[in-house]
Amino acid sequence: MSKEAQWEEAFLLIDEDGRGEIPLAKFGNAVRIAGGFPTEDDLKTMADAVAKDGMISKSDFMAQMKWIARKEPDVGQICDAFRAFDRDGEGKVSHTELRHILTNMGDKLTDEDVEDFLKEATKDKDGRIDYKQFMTELLEN
């Protein structure tokens, strides 16, 4: 399935009454369902560009998905940032370190978003997270 088809499918899930538009309040969920990883600032920028009367049309949603897809960093760049916290060079960080990275570096995430990310992270027997695997899984989902 193409990215555009995934985006359209996500939009249609949120557009429950088939009107061809979704409420601004559900825009962030639609973007995330479609595979985007926007920050709150990204969502505000995107919504400000297209929201009319508290609603976002399908064509505007698709245009904003193209924008966020171009903006998203690649796994290699993100892994470089994690390496700074990988003291022993094993490609793993602790739960606490990951929380610190997600809440204090770059586009800071909310506590709720961090909790969602941490729930998805696969831990090894020592409770450490393989950050390359973590980022790859996030971007695939």
Side-chain angles (χ1 to χ4, degrees):
M1 178 182 290
S2 71
K3 282 185 181 182
E4 288 81 7
Q6 289 175 329
W7 300 341
E8 184 173 354
E9 185 176 316
F11 183 88
L12 294 173
L13 283 171
I14 300 296
D15 181 18
E16 296 169 350
D17 59 7
R19 293 179 36 201
E21 58 185 12
I22 59 173
L24 181 58
K26 294 184 178 184
F27 179 59
N29 287 343
V31 172
R32 290 182 182 102
I33 290 169
F37 294 99
T39 63
E40 290 303 314
D41 286 341
D42 289 339
L43 288 173
K44 181 170 178 9
T45 299
M46 295 164 72
D48 288 348
V50 297
K52 297 172 186 83
D53 298 323
M55 302 298 284
I56 297 173
S57 71
K58 181 178 169 186
S59 62
D60 286 339
F61 176 80
M62 298 297 280
Q64 292 306 304
M65 287 307 300
K66 288 178 185 174
W67 177 81
I68 197 72
R70 286 190 305 269
K71 186 181 182 300
E72 306 245 328
D74 68 28
V75 175
Q77 290 174 331
I78 297 169
C79 287
D80 287 344
F82 279 108
R83 275 195 253 307
F85 292 88
D86 182 11
R87 295 182 188 124
D88 54 13
E90 292 183 350
K92 297 179 181 179
V93 294
S94 72
H95 189 270
T96 304
E97 289 168 327
L98 182 56
R99 174 180 291 287
H100 175 76
I101 292 166
L102 295 173
T103 57
N104 293 295
M105 306 196 75
D107 290 327
K108 298 167 185 77
L109 298 178
T110 66
D111 288 335
E112 184 179 317
D113 287 340
V114 170
E115 285 304 317
D116 289 343
F117 280 113
L118 293 175
K119 286 176 190 171
E120 297 297 319
T122 305
K123 299 174 191 81
D124 67 9
K125 62 180 171 48
D126 297 322
R128 295 178 45 115
I129 299 161
D130 180 320
Y131 55 82
K132 290 177 189 171
Q133 177 183 351
F134 173 68
M135 292 310 304
T136 301
E137 289 172 359
L138 276 178
L139 294 174
E140 285 176 355
N141 295 328

PDB file of all heavy atoms in Angstrom, residues 106-125:
ATOM      1  N   GLY A 106      15.804  18.320  21.397  1.00  0.00           N
ATOM      2  CA  GLY A 106      15.115  18.559  20.125  1.00  0.00           C
ATOM      3  C   GLY A 106      13.690  19.011  20.350  1.00  0.00           C
ATOM      4  O   GLY A 106      13.417  19.835  21.215  1.00  0.00           O
ATOM      5  N   ASP A 107      12.764  18.467  19.580  1.00  0.00           N
ATOM      6  CA  ASP A 107      11.348  18.755  19.769  1.00  0.00           C
ATOM      7  C   ASP A 107      10.869  17.943  20.955  1.00  0.00           C
ATOM      8  O   ASP A 107      10.697  16.731  20.867  1.00  0.00           O
ATOM      9  CB  ASP A 107      10.547  18.374  18.520  1.00  0.00           C
ATOM     10  CG  ASP A 107      10.825  19.290  17.351  1.00  0.00           C
ATOM     11  OD1 ASP A 107      11.089  20.482  17.587  1.00  0.00           O
ATOM     12  OD2 ASP A 107      10.775  18.816  16.205  1.00  0.00           O
ATOM     13  N   LYS A 108      10.690  18.604  22.087  1.00  0.00           N
ATOM     14  CA  LYS A 108      10.337  17.921  23.326  1.00  0.00           C
ATOM     15  C   LYS A 108       8.926  17.341  23.241  1.00  0.00           C
ATOM     16  O   LYS A 108       8.009  17.990  22.760  1.00  0.00           O
ATOM     17  CB  LYS A 108      10.465  18.896  24.487  1.00  0.00           C
ATOM     18  CG  LYS A 108      11.881  19.401  24.663  1.00  0.00           C
ATOM     19  CD  LYS A 108      11.929  20.590  25.597  1.00  0.00           C
ATOM     20  CE  LYS A 108      13.304  21.158  25.677  1.00  0.00           C
ATOM     21  NZ  LYS A 108      13.697  21.956  24.550  1.00  0.00           N
ATOM     22  N   LEU A 109       8.776  16.123  23.736  1.00  0.00           N
ATOM     23  CA  LEU A 109       7.474  15.465  23.730  1.00  0.00           C
ATOM     24  C   LEU A 109       6.773  15.682  25.061  1.00  0.00           C
ATOM     25  O   LEU A 109       7.414  15.903  26.086  1.00  0.00           O
ATOM     26  CB  LEU A 109       7.644  13.967  23.485  1.00  0.00           C
ATOM     27  CG  LEU A 109       8.272  13.555  22.161  1.00  0.00           C
ATOM     28  CD1 LEU A 109       8.416  12.048  22.099  1.00  0.00           C
ATOM     29  CD2 LEU A 109       7.452  14.046  20.990  1.00  0.00           C
ATOM     30  N   THR A 110       5.468  15.580  25.052  1.00  0.00           N
ATOM     31  CA  THR A 110       4.696  15.668  26.288  1.00  0.00           C
ATOM     32  C   THR A 110       4.898  14.384  27.083  1.00  0.00           C
ATOM     33  O   THR A 110       5.298  13.349  26.537  1.00  0.00           O
ATOM     34  CB  THR A 110       3.197  15.837  26.000  1.00  0.00           C
ATOM     35  OG1 THR A 110       2.718  14.642  25.365  1.00  0.00           O
ATOM     36  CG2 THR A 110       2.926  17.058  25.128  1.00  0.00           C
ATOM     37  N   ASP A 111       4.599  14.432  28.379  1.00  0.00           N
ATOM     38  CA  ASP A 111       4.720  13.234  29.219  1.00  0.00           C
ATOM     39  C   ASP A 111       3.842  12.106  28.693  1.00  0.00           C
ATOM     40  O   ASP A 111       4.237  10.946  28.707  1.00  0.00           O
ATOM     41  CB  ASP A 111       4.346  13.549  30.673  1.00  0.00           C
ATOM     42  CG  ASP A 111       5.397  14.398  31.377  1.00  0.00           C
ATOM     43  OD1 ASP A 111       6.575  14.361  30.970  1.00  0.00           O
ATOM     44  OD2 ASP A 111       5.039  15.093  32.350  1.00  0.00           O
ATOM     45  N   GLU A 112       2.648  12.450  28.208  1.00  0.00           N
ATOM     46  CA  GLU A 112       1.732  11.445  27.660  1.00  0.00           C
ATOM     47  C   GLU A 112       2.338  10.771  26.428  1.00  0.00           C
ATOM     48  O   GLU A 112       2.292   9.543  26.295  1.00  0.00           O
ATOM     49  CB  GLU A 112       0.402  12.102  27.308  1.00  0.00           C
ATOM     50  CG  GLU A 112      -0.650  11.127  26.821  1.00  0.00           C
ATOM     51  CD  GLU A 112      -1.956  11.833  26.521  1.00  0.00           C
ATOM     52  OE1 GLU A 112      -2.384  12.692  27.302  1.00  0.00           O
ATOM     53  OE2 GLU A 112      -2.553  11.485  25.483  1.00  0.00           O
ATOM     54  N   ASP A 113       2.916  11.568  25.526  1.00  0.00           N
ATOM     55  CA  ASP A 113       3.552  11.007  24.334  1.00  0.00           C
ATOM     56  C   ASP A 113       4.737  10.124  24.712  1.00  0.00           C
ATOM     57  O   ASP A 113       4.937   9.056  24.135  1.00  0.00           O
ATOM     58  CB  ASP A 113       4.015  12.112  23.383  1.00  0.00           C
ATOM     59  CG  ASP A 113       2.867  12.794  22.661  1.00  0.00           C
ATOM     60  OD1 ASP A 113       1.772  12.195  22.584  1.00  0.00           O
ATOM     61  OD2 ASP A 113       3.069  13.921  22.174  1.00  0.00           O
ATOM     62  N   VAL A 114       5.516  10.570  25.692  1.00  0.00           N
ATOM     63  CA  VAL A 114       6.671   9.786  26.138  1.00  0.00           C
ATOM     64  C   VAL A 114       6.213   8.438  26.680  1.00  0.00           C
ATOM     65  O   VAL A 114       6.796   7.403  26.361  1.00  0.00           O
ATOM     66  CB  VAL A 114       7.502  10.558  27.191  1.00  0.00           C
ATOM     67  CG1 VAL A 114       8.547   9.659  27.826  1.00  0.00           C
ATOM     68  CG2 VAL A 114       8.161  11.769  26.548  1.00  0.00           C
ATOM     69  N   GLU A 115       5.150   8.445  27.490  1.00  0.00           N
ATOM     70  CA  GLU A 115       4.634   7.184  28.035  1.00  0.00           C
ATOM     71  C   GLU A 115       4.217   6.234  26.909  1.00  0.00           C
ATOM     72  O   GLU A 115       4.482   5.037  26.964  1.00  0.00           O
ATOM     73  CB  GLU A 115       3.464   7.436  28.990  1.00  0.00           C
ATOM     74  CG  GLU A 115       3.887   7.978  30.334  1.00  0.00           C
ATOM     75  CD  GLU A 115       4.907   7.108  31.050  1.00  0.00           C
ATOM     76  OE1 GLU A 115       4.780   5.864  31.067  1.00  0.00           O
ATOM     77  OE2 GLU A 115       5.879   7.685  31.578  1.00  0.00           O
ATOM     78  N   ASP A 116       3.581   6.777  25.871  1.00  0.00           N
ATOM     79  CA  ASP A 116       3.186   5.954  24.725  1.00  0.00           C
ATOM     80  C   ASP A 116       4.410   5.345  24.042  1.00  0.00           C
ATOM     81  O   ASP A 116       4.417   4.171  23.699  1.00  0.00           O
ATOM     82  CB  ASP A 116       2.386   6.770  23.708  1.00  0.00           C
ATOM     83  CG  ASP A 116       0.995   7.130  24.212  1.00  0.00           C
ATOM     84  OD1 ASP A 116       0.522   6.495  25.175  1.00  0.00           O
ATOM     85  OD2 ASP A 116       0.392   8.065  23.643  1.00  0.00           O
ATOM     86  N   PHE A 117       5.457   6.155  23.846  1.00  0.00           N
ATOM     87  CA  PHE A 117       6.682   5.655  23.229  1.00  0.00           C
ATOM     88  C   PHE A 117       7.324   4.573  24.093  1.00  0.00           C
ATOM     89  O   PHE A 117       7.761   3.539  23.587  1.00  0.00           O
ATOM     90  CB  PHE A 117       7.693   6.782  22.997  1.00  0.00           C
ATOM     91  CG  PHE A 117       7.417   7.604  21.779  1.00  0.00           C
ATOM     92  CD1 PHE A 117       7.035   8.929  21.893  1.00  0.00           C
ATOM     93  CD2 PHE A 117       7.553   7.068  20.515  1.00  0.00           C
ATOM     94  CE1 PHE A 117       6.792   9.697  20.763  1.00  0.00           C
ATOM     95  CE2 PHE A 117       7.315   7.812  19.378  1.00  0.00           C
ATOM     96  CZ  PHE A 117       6.928   9.133  19.514  1.00  0.00           C
ATOM     97  N   LEU A 118       7.397   4.816  25.393  1.00  0.00           N
ATOM     98  CA  LEU A 118       8.067   3.866  26.288  1.00  0.00           C
ATOM     99  C   LEU A 118       7.325   2.531  26.367  1.00  0.00           C
ATOM    100  O   LEU A 118       7.954   1.486  26.516  1.00  0.00           O
ATOM    101  CB  LEU A 118       8.245   4.472  27.678  1.00  0.00           C
ATOM    102  CG  LEU A 118       9.219   5.650  27.753  1.00  0.00           C
ATOM    103  CD1 LEU A 118       9.217   6.254  29.147  1.00  0.00           C
ATOM    104  CD2 LEU A 118      10.614   5.232  27.339  1.00  0.00           C
ATOM    105  N   LYS A 119       6.008   2.561  26.238  1.00  0.00           N
ATOM    106  CA  LYS A 119       5.233   1.319  26.232  1.00  0.00           C
ATOM    107  C   LYS A 119       5.602   0.456  25.028  1.00  0.00           C
ATOM    108  O   LYS A 119       5.548  -0.767  25.089  1.00  0.00           O
ATOM    109  CB  LYS A 119       3.739   1.619  26.213  1.00  0.00           C
ATOM    110  CG  LYS A 119       3.200   2.118  27.517  1.00  0.00           C
ATOM    111  CD  LYS A 119       1.728   2.473  27.384  1.00  0.00           C
ATOM    112  CE  LYS A 119       1.244   3.202  28.611  1.00  0.00           C
ATOM    113  NZ  LYS A 119      -0.093   3.750  28.434  1.00  0.00           N
ATOM    114  N   GLU A 120       5.951   1.119  23.913  1.00  0.00           N
ATOM    115  CA  GLU A 120       6.288   0.413  22.677  1.00  0.00           C
ATOM    116  C   GLU A 120       7.717  -0.130  22.674  1.00  0.00           C
ATOM    117  O   GLU A 120       8.049  -1.001  21.885  1.00  0.00           O
ATOM    118  CB  GLU A 120       6.107   1.345  21.475  1.00  0.00           C
ATOM    119  CG  GLU A 120       4.695   1.807  21.260  1.00  0.00           C
ATOM    120  CD  GLU A 120       3.749   0.668  20.944  1.00  0.00           C
ATOM    121  OE1 GLU A 120       4.135  -0.243  20.178  1.00  0.00           O
ATOM    122  OE2 GLU A 120       2.625   0.685  21.455  1.00  0.00           O
ATOM    123  N   ALA A 121       8.552   0.416  23.542  1.00  0.00           N
ATOM    124  CA  ALA A 121       9.969   0.052  23.522  1.00  0.00           C
ATOM    125  C   ALA A 121      10.192  -1.360  24.078  1.00  0.00           C
ATOM    126  O   ALA A 121       9.726  -1.690  25.157  1.00  0.00           O
ATOM    127  CB  ALA A 121      10.775   1.054  24.345  1.00  0.00           C
ATOM    128  N   THR A 122      10.889  -2.190  23.314  1.00  0.00           N
ATOM    129  CA  THR A 122      11.221  -3.543  23.738  1.00  0.00           C
ATOM    130  C   THR A 122      12.468  -3.488  24.599  1.00  0.00           C
ATOM    131  O   THR A 122      13.501  -2.967  24.186  1.00  0.00           O
ATOM    132  CB  THR A 122      11.491  -4.440  22.510  1.00  0.00           C
ATOM    133  OG1 THR A 122      10.352  -4.374  21.646  1.00  0.00           O
ATOM    134  CG2 THR A 122      11.767  -5.866  22.925  1.00  0.00           C
ATOM    135  N   LYS A 123      12.353  -4.027  25.802  1.00  0.00           N
ATOM    136  CA  LYS A 123      13.484  -4.012  26.728  1.00  0.00           C
ATOM    137  C   LYS A 123      14.168  -5.376  26.739  1.00  0.00           C
ATOM    138  O   LYS A 123      13.530  -6.411  26.594  1.00  0.00           O
ATOM    139  CB  LYS A 123      12.998  -3.663  28.131  1.00  0.00           C
ATOM    140  CG  LYS A 123      12.362  -2.296  28.225  1.00  0.00           C
ATOM    141  CD  LYS A 123      11.770  -2.077  29.602  1.00  0.00           C
ATOM    142  CE  LYS A 123      10.928  -0.853  29.638  1.00  0.00           C
ATOM    143  NZ  LYS A 123       9.587  -1.022  29.125  1.00  0.00           N
ATOM    144  N   ASP A 124      15.490  -5.373  26.949  1.00  0.00           N
ATOM    145  CA  ASP A 124      16.207  -6.629  27.093  1.00  0.00           C
ATOM    146  C   ASP A 124      16.093  -7.103  28.538  1.00  0.00           C
ATOM    147  O   ASP A 124      15.395  -6.492  29.355  1.00  0.00           O
ATOM    148  CB  ASP A 124      17.663  -6.493  26.630  1.00  0.00           C
ATOM    149  CG  ASP A 124      18.503  -5.569  27.507  1.00  0.00           C
ATOM    150  OD1 ASP A 124      18.032  -5.151  28.597  1.00  0.00           O
ATOM    151  OD2 ASP A 124      19.639  -5.257  27.108  1.00  0.00           O
ATOM    152  N   LYS A 125      16.787  -8.173  28.885  1.00  0.00           N
ATOM    153  CA  LYS A 125      16.675  -8.752  30.235  1.00  0.00           C
ATOM    154  C   LYS A 125      17.138  -7.791  31.323  1.00  0.00           C
ATOM    155  O   LYS A 125      16.730  -7.899  32.468  1.00  0.00           O
ATOM    156  CB  LYS A 125      17.442 -10.064  30.316  1.00  0.00           C
ATOM    157  CG  LYS A 125      18.926  -9.956  30.070  1.00  0.00           C
ATOM    158  CD  LYS A 125      19.579 -11.324  30.173  1.00  0.00           C
ATOM    159  CE  LYS A 125      21.008 -11.343  29.743  1.00  0.00           C
ATOM    160  NZ  LYS A 125      21.886 -10.353  30.243  1.00  0.00           N
TER     161      LYS A 125
END
